[in-house]
Amino acid sequence: MLRAITLAFALSVFPATAFANSCPSIMAAIDAALPASTLAEADMTKVKELRAKGEQLHASGDHAGSEAALNEAKKILGI
């Protein structure tokens, strides 16, 4: 019985952990693309706001919201 509970707990935690780890890699991709970007100033401001929002959401535990904001920034950057 204890083994089944432990297995169920491990399986329920793993996807959340894997999902949470994608946020830093998306932030790193954005950070790497920013210096070479030729976006208009308004778009660059939007990307930086989304990047900051994504980091804040990640830190607060909202990984779905973080990934959504970060992916929107990636889309604007064209990466």
Side-chain angles (χ1 to χ4, degrees):
M1 180 70 169
L2 182 58
R3 186 172 150 199
I5 293 170
T6 303
L7 180 61
F9 175 75
L11 292 175
S12 69
V13 171
F14 177 72
T17 304
F19 189 65
N21 290 335
S22 67
C23 301
S25 64
I26 298 171
M27 286 185 266
I30 293 168
D31 293 343
L34 278 173
S37 177
T38 58
L39 290 175
E41 187 176 336
D43 288 336
M44 184 64 79
T45 299
K46 182 69 174 172
V47 167
K48 289 178 180 179
E49 288 172 355
L50 288 166
R51 164 62 173 84
K53 180 180 177 182
E55 185 171 8
Q56 179 185 25
L57 290 169
H58 172 74
S60 70
D62 182 359
H63 301 292
S66 172
E67 190 169 323
L70 294 170
N71 282 328
E72 187 176 342
K74 282 178 59 177
K75 183 178 176 182
I76 295 169
L77 276 170
I79 58 172

